[in-house]
Amino acid sequence: MEPKRADDDVIVDLIDVILRDGAVIEADAIISVADIPLVGLKLRAALAGMATMTEYGIFEEWDRAHRQRALDDSNPEE
């Protein structure tokens, strides 16, 4: 008998890999009517855990500001 994996395990593994390593999704679309292009759409999205994002320099300013705000909130000046 061979061991089998539950479907839930595959989803958990996929989420783990995406959060750890990240994924970039790119899409291009052109909306046209009667072969006349009307709207062009170019999308790029990065999906990863915050540790991975900051490691690659994405959201550094956001991360720095939120960390500072958390420090300020935990140590209110008297």
Side-chain angles (χ1 to χ4, degrees):
M1 179 166 23
E2 294 182 26
K4 297 190 179 203
R5 296 180 80 175
D7 290 339
D8 294 343
D9 293 342
V10 174
I11 293 171
V12 170
D13 289 343
L14 176 64
I15 292 171
D16 182 53
V17 168
I18 288 174
L19 291 177
R20 184 186 64 235
D21 298 333
V24 176
I25 301 166
E26 290 187 51
D28 295 325
I30 298 174
I31 299 172
S32 59
V33 175
D35 289 332
I36 300 172
L38 300 175
V39 177
L41 183 63
K42 184 173 189 81
L43 300 172
R44 176 181 281 180
L47 178 64
M50 285 305 296
T52 303
M53 292 284 217
T54 54
E55 181 181 327
Y56 284 97
I58 303 170
F59 291 123
E60 280 184 341
E61 187 62 36
W62 180 90
D63 185 53
R64 189 175 8 256
H66 277 74
R67 287 176 189 262
Q68 186 61 47
R69 188 179 315 149
L71 287 173
D72 292 345
D73 290 345
S74 66
N75 297 322
E77 293 182 25
E78 296 177 26

